[in-house]
Amino acid sequence: VDVYQAGAGTSHNMNANEVIANRAIEILGGRKGDYSLVHPNDHVNMAQSTNDTFPTAMRVACLWLLRPLQDALRELIDALAAKGREFDDVVKAGRTHLQDAVPVRLGQEFDAYAAALRKDHWRLERAAEALAELNLGGTAAGTGVNAHPDYRMLAVERLAQLSGLGLRPSSNLMALMQSMTDFAHLSSALRLLALDLIRIANDLRLLSSGPKTGLAEITLPAVQPGSSIMPGKVNPVIAEMVDMVGFQVLGNDTTVAAATQAGQLELNVMMPVIAHNLFHSLEILANAMRVFTERCVRGITANRLRCRAYLEESTGLATVLTPAIGYERAAEVAKESARTGKTVRQVLVEQGVFSEDELEVIFDDYRPLTEPGRLMLQQDRG
């Protein structure tokens, strides 16, 4: 049944009712189409309406599709966290506004990626909790007309057993028939996840740019030849794939949002297109994260010499001297370094701010510069 059809999912529901009825007829020894034995409306659809079965099916399907997505997300988080531990000793130049900034550790960058995705996982959990509430038994308008009084509790209980999901009946069946915001909640959580994935993928593309004329602080696994004309070129194809999937999810979310606000009075008839876009996002995000983890993140290596070289050339090192020499003097040193191409250390020695021996002590270990605290010198250089 085509997604773009008469609204609310009636075509889908009746197609399912007819298939179920005919299969029941076969089991009973009858002839398909002889609805005197089992009728699609009178029997299969008893105590039901498209308006409560279709959103119920959407909720169950979303919860099922969330499982592989959440598994893939957890694996990606673990892989990024593992790289955070592996690269914890790699001190490098930080960058803000794509300009030199204070030192950071490569491991800290990957830890931050994992932390952002943990928040996305938490948001998905909250969305799943809302989707476990069902309006099954509300029938046509959420009033429950033509449904047995016990139907709602019995049907949801049985559906929970069959699905293995923690489903529960809603306290207000009409509200879930009118409002699709639980689906918009999930879609928005997927959108935020996509935004983080796009950002992380783009960072990896930037950090691995080169190999000779870019940053080249990390190396991504080579997956395929990157050019039909330039021999030896290798592109960050997996990260590029993640970007494109993320863009598609953003578009899907826009459609879900438009359809969510299109409900009128007792029913939102735009459910098929909401389901179509949500299922698409859930599927492609799960696949993208799995491939991203397996064929990109786990194989990333650090170019330690390049990281060290950029760090020692960074004008951001002047910042860590501010507690000792003051902001204005530190700014002069940074500007002189940028103007002449000399390192901050060279400028400091030439200007007589510090001796070589003092700088050896200050910069003996760059790691403390990546943690909370201030550079403290015995002699006041202010």
Side-chain angles (χ1 to χ4, degrees), residues 43-62:
H43 300 124
V44 180
N45 201 60
M46 182 184 292
Q48 296 181 160
S49 163
T50 297
N51 301 346
D52 62 351
T53 58
F54 197 84
T56 295
M58 288 171 63
R59 288 168 180 268
V60 171
C62 284

Side-chain angles (χ1 to χ4, degrees), residues 23-37:
R23 180 61 186 134
I25 290 167
E26 283 185 321
I27 293 171
L28 292 171
R31 179 176 54 83
K32 286 190 293 185
D34 180 8
Y35 292 147
S36 64
L37 284 175

Side-chain angles (χ1 to χ4, degrees), residues 54-250:
F54 197 84
T56 295
M58 288 171 63
R59 288 168 180 268
V60 171
C62 284
L63 290 171
W64 266 339
L65 289 170
L66 262 172
R67 287 176 167 177
L69 181 139
Q70 289 175 305
D71 288 343
L73 177 54
R74 282 190 291 267
E75 290 180 5
L76 177 55
I77 291 169
D78 289 344
L80 290 167
K83 288 298 170 183
R85 294 188 294 272
E86 180 182 344
F87 301 149
D88 187 58
D89 64 327
V90 182
V91 184
K92 50 162 284 186
R95 297 178 182 89
T96 59
H97 302 262
L98 292 179
Q99 306 296 307
D100 292 358
V102 296
V104 300
R105 299 196 304 278
L106 184 60
Q108 288 175 314
E109 291 182 322
F110 278 82
D111 277 339
Y113 297 151
L117 294 183
R118 288 190 191 99
K119 282 192 174 181
D120 290 312
H121 188 278
W122 178 85
R123 282 187 280 261
L124 289 170
E125 289 286 341
R126 303 292 78 74
E129 288 177 7
L131 286 170
E133 189 177 2
L134 306 183
N135 68 330
L136 194 61
T139 64
T143 62
V145 65
N146 288 355
H148 189 282
D150 296 333
Y151 170 78
R152 177 174 56 143
M153 295 300 298
L154 292 172
V156 173
E157 181 180 340
R158 181 61 175 149
L159 186 56
Q161 293 172 351
L162 292 170
S163 66
L165 300 170
L167 305 175
R168 62 188 186 277
S170 172
S171 59
N172 192 313
L173 305 181
M174 186 177 290
L176 295 194
M177 198 169 292
Q178 294 173 340
S179 174
M180 295 290 111
T181 50
D182 286 344
F183 298 106
H185 183 187
L186 173 60
S187 185
S188 67
L190 296 174
R191 176 178 179 272
L192 294 173
L193 171 59
L195 290 174
D196 272 331
L197 289 173
I198 292 168
R199 178 180 60 82
I200 293 168
N202 284 340
D203 273 6
L204 298 186
R205 292 170 64 199
L206 186 60
L207 291 171
S208 66
S209 60
K212 297 297 185 181
T213 60
L215 296 181
E217 292 183 339
I218 63 173
T219 300
L220 305 183
V223 175
Q224 67 182 43
S227 174
S228 61
I229 190 172
M230 291 176 281
K233 192 170 189 291
V234 179
N235 295 334
V237 293
I238 301 300
E240 292 168 348
M241 172 275 295
V242 171
D243 276 351
M244 287 187 277
V245 167
F247 302 154
Q248 181 64 63
V249 171
L250 301 187

